[in-house]
Amino acid sequence: MKLLHLDTSALGDHSVSRQLTSAIVARWQAGLDGLEVEYRDLDRDPIPHLSGRTLAGSDELERARSEATMQQFLDADAIVLGAPMYNFGIPSTLKAWIDRVAVNGRTFRYTANGPEGLAGGKRVVIVASAGGQHGGQPTDFVEPYLRQVFGFLGITDIEVVRADGIGMSPEHREAAIAQALGSLPEPLRDAA
Ligand SMILES: Cc1cc2nc3c(=O)[nH]c(=O)nc-3n(C[C@H](O)[C@H](O)[C@H](O)COP(=O)(O)O)c2cc1C
């Protein structure tokens, strides 16, 4: 079974989402023998923004990198994704990754009856961290957006671990981390 662990926070060791994605992955690794984990740090190794050159496929190196990103996504049975809120939305590094994996004809397609997701059967856990309190509010363009993107690709097993109020005070930060750590997603099980 393959797990893709994605971090996107630019705050390195101070990142709450990194702390929480690590805790989830460690828990899942401990509970499932033979779990293959691929780690990708989109802050340290960002994917270039999608461009006309990308779509034209004229740059061989970029085409190969794009395909590797797509294959890594397709191969994953589960994804644990750190998604800090930046200016009410996701980090641009994460958007650049989404632009490589949401591809017509590969992970979704349009039919006479509307769009159809082609990348179902995965479990996705999103760790959504934010400086303020945004969960369930109209100011949150992270959780609804990511649910829409993964849902559009056909993924129905989506869980969100929230850590809100990180910037409000040290006490808020500690409480949000403790609450998230206390309600980590159920261990991963091998469907086979
Ligand atoms: C560039 C940048 C933009 C941010 N924008 C917002 C924002 O719009 N709303 C908010 O509540 N917090 C915002 N924050 C605070 C982060 O969401 C908060 O620090 C959160 O803990 C980030 O997750 P991390 O700890 O995993 O890096 C921003 C932080 C940065 C660095």
Side-chain angles (χ1 to χ4, degrees):
M1 201 171 193
K2 287 190 176 173
L3 166 67
L4 176 58
H5 176 185
L6 287 174
D7 276 327
T8 64
S9 167
L11 296 184
D13 291 344
H14 298 290
S15 159
V16 170
S17 61
R18 284 175 186 269
Q19 183 181 339
L20 294 173
T21 59
S22 292
I24 294 166
V25 172
R27 186 180 185 210
W28 284 6
Q29 267 181 316
L32 188 58
D33 281 346
L35 180 66
E36 275 178 60
V37 180
E38 285 200 25
Y39 181 64
R40 185 150 198 173
D41 186 336
L42 292 171
D43 177 67
R44 204 176 43 208
D45 298 309
I47 294 168
H49 286 153
L50 193 77
S51 67
R53 215 176 47 168
T54 317
L55 294 178
S58 52
D59 182 327
E60 199 48 51
L61 183 61
E62 202 192 330
R63 205 153 67 93
R65 284 189 182 145
S66 219
E67 182 54 32
T69 298
M70 170 63 84
Q71 203 54 54
Q72 187 180 47
F73 170 68
L74 291 173
D75 288 347
D77 301 295
I79 298 171
V80 176
L81 165 65
M85 176 180 280
Y86 286 172
N87 299 313
F88 305 104
I90 59 168
S92 58
T93 48
L94 177 53
K95 179 60 166 55
W97 179 83
I98 290 170
D99 287 342
R100 304 304 173 122
V101 301
V103 176
N104 194 358
R106 301 290 302 278
T107 50
F108 72 91
R109 67 181 170 188
Y110 290 108
T111 73
N113 299 320
E116 183 188 358
L118 302 175
K122 301 180 194 303
R123 181 173 174 193
V124 173
V125 172
I126 296 159
V127 174
S129 51
Q133 300 277 9
H134 298 280
Q137 301 299 311
T139 51
D140 180 17
F141 295 90
V142 174
E143 180 176 341
Y145 170 72
L146 290 173
R147 283 186 182 277
Q148 168 64 25
V149 167
F150 288 115
F152 185 75
L153 302 183
I155 298 167
T156 53
D157 190 351
I158 303 168
E159 293 159 84
V160 178
V161 174
R162 295 208 61 94
D164 279 298
I166 297 304
M168 291 170 68
S169 73
E171 292 75 23
H172 280 86
R173 179 186 171 100
E174 287 317 309
I177 294 171
Q179 200 204 358
L181 288 173
S183 56
L184 293 184
E186 285 301 303
L188 201 57
R189 298 197 197 293
D190 201 338

